[in-house]
CSV table of all heavy atoms in Angstrom, one decimal:
chain,number,residue,atom,x,y,z
A,196,ILE,N,53.9,-31.9,-24.0
A,196,ILE,CA,55.3,-31.6,-24.6
A,196,ILE,C,56.2,-32.7,-24.0
A,196,ILE,O,55.8,-33.6,-23.1
A,196,ILE,CB,55.8,-30.1,-24.2
A,196,ILE,CG1,55.7,-30.0,-22.8
A,196,ILE,CG2,55.0,-29.2,-25.0
A,196,ILE,CD1,56.3,-28.6,-22.3
A,197,GLY,N,57.3,-32.7,-24.5
A,197,GLY,CA,58.3,-33.9,-24.2
A,197,GLY,C,59.0,-33.9,-22.8
A,197,GLY,O,60.1,-34.2,-22.7
A,205,PHE,N,63.1,-32.0,-20.2
A,205,PHE,CA,62.8,-32.5,-21.6
A,205,PHE,C,63.6,-33.9,-21.7
A,205,PHE,O,64.7,-34.1,-21.1
A,205,PHE,CB,63.3,-31.7,-22.7
A,205,PHE,CG,62.3,-30.5,-22.9
A,205,PHE,CD1,62.5,-29.2,-22.5
A,205,PHE,CD2,61.0,-30.8,-23.4
A,205,PHE,CE1,61.7,-28.2,-22.8
A,205,PHE,CE2,60.1,-29.8,-23.6
A,205,PHE,CZ,60.4,-28.5,-23.5
A,213,GLN,N,61.9,-35.8,-28.1
A,213,GLN,CA,60.7,-35.2,-27.7
A,213,GLN,C,59.4,-35.7,-28.0
A,213,GLN,O,58.5,-35.9,-27.3
A,213,GLN,CB,60.8,-33.6,-27.8
A,213,GLN,CG,61.9,-32.9,-26.9
A,213,GLN,CD,61.8,-31.5,-27.1
A,213,GLN,OE1,60.8,-30.9,-27.2
A,213,GLN,NE2,63.0,-30.9,-26.9
A,243,LEU,N,54.2,-27.7,-34.0
A,243,LEU,CA,55.7,-27.9,-34.3
A,243,LEU,C,56.3,-26.6,-34.1
A,243,LEU,O,55.9,-25.5,-34.7
A,243,LEU,CB,55.9,-28.5,-35.6
A,243,LEU,CG,55.6,-29.9,-36.0
A,243,LEU,CD1,55.7,-30.1,-37.5
A,243,LEU,CD2,56.1,-30.9,-35.1
A,244,ASP,N,57.5,-26.5,-33.5
A,244,ASP,CA,58.3,-25.3,-33.5
A,244,ASP,C,58.8,-25.0,-34.9
A,244,ASP,O,59.1,-23.9,-35.2
A,244,ASP,CB,59.4,-25.6,-32.4
A,244,ASP,CG,60.3,-24.3,-32.4
A,244,ASP,OD1,59.8,-23.2,-31.9
A,244,ASP,OD2,61.5,-24.5,-32.7
A,275,ALA,N,56.1,-20.2,-31.3
A,275,ALA,CA,56.7,-20.6,-29.9
A,275,ALA,C,55.8,-21.6,-29.2
A,275,ALA,O,54.5,-21.4,-29.2
A,275,ALA,CB,56.9,-19.4,-29.1
A,276,LEU,N,56.5,-22.6,-28.6
A,276,LEU,CA,55.7,-23.6,-27.7
A,276,LEU,C,56.2,-23.4,-26.4
A,276,LEU,O,57.3,-22.9,-26.0
A,276,LEU,CB,56.0,-25.0,-28.3
A,276,LEU,CG,55.5,-25.2,-29.7
A,276,LEU,CD1,55.9,-26.7,-30.1
A,276,LEU,CD2,54.0,-25.2,-29.7
A,277,PRO,N,55.4,-24.0,-25.4
A,277,PRO,CA,55.7,-23.9,-24.0
A,277,PRO,C,57.1,-24.4,-23.6
A,277,PRO,O,57.6,-25.4,-24.1
A,277,PRO,CB,54.6,-24.6,-23.2
A,277,PRO,CG,53.5,-24.6,-24.2
A,277,PRO,CD,54.0,-24.7,-25.5
A,278,LYS,N,57.8,-23.6,-22.9
A,278,LYS,CA,59.1,-24.1,-22.4
A,278,LYS,C,60.3,-24.4,-23.4
A,278,LYS,O,61.2,-25.1,-23.3
A,278,LYS,CB,59.0,-25.2,-21.5
A,278,LYS,CG,58.3,-25.1,-20.1
A,278,LYS,CD,58.3,-26.3,-19.2
A,278,LYS,CE,57.7,-26.1,-17.9
A,278,LYS,NZ,58.6,-25.2,-17.0
A,279,GLY,N,59.9,-23.7,-24.6
A,279,GLY,CA,60.8,-23.9,-25.8
A,279,GLY,C,60.7,-25.4,-26.4
A,279,GLY,O,61.7,-25.9,-27.0
A,280,ALA,N,59.6,-26.1,-26.2
A,280,ALA,CA,59.5,-27.4,-26.7
A,280,ALA,C,59.6,-27.4,-28.3
A,280,ALA,O,59.2,-26.3,-28.9
A,280,ALA,CB,58.1,-28.0,-26.3
A,281,LYS,N,59.9,-28.5,-28.8
A,281,LYS,CA,60.1,-28.6,-30.3
A,281,LYS,C,58.8,-29.2,-30.8
A,281,LYS,O,58.5,-29.1,-32.0
A,281,LYS,CB,61.2,-29.5,-30.6
A,281,LYS,CG,62.5,-29.0,-30.3
A,281,LYS,CD,63.7,-29.8,-30.8
A,281,LYS,CE,65.0,-29.3,-30.4
A,281,LYS,NZ,65.3,-28.0,-30.9
A,282,VAL,N,57.9,-29.8,-30.0
A,282,VAL,CA,56.6,-30.5,-30.5
A,282,VAL,C,55.6,-30.5,-29.4
A,282,VAL,O,56.0,-30.7,-28.2
A,282,VAL,CB,56.9,-31.9,-31.2
A,282,VAL,CG1,57.6,-32.8,-30.2
A,282,VAL,CG2,55.6,-32.5,-31.6
A,283,GLU,N,54.4,-30.4,-29.7
A,283,GLU,CA,53.4,-30.6,-28.7
A,283,GLU,C,52.1,-31.3,-29.4
A,283,GLU,O,51.9,-31.0,-30.6
A,283,GLU,CB,52.8,-29.2,-28.1
A,283,GLU,CG,51.6,-29.1,-27.3
A,283,GLU,CD,51.4,-27.9,-26.7
A,283,GLU,OE1,51.9,-26.9,-26.9
A,283,GLU,OE2,50.3,-27.8,-25.9
Side-chain angles (χ1 to χ4, degrees):
I196 57 178
F205 282 111
Q213 290 191 25
L243 297 173
D244 180 63
L276 293 175
K278 293 184 173 291
K281 295 183 182 296
V282 58
E283 178 176 357

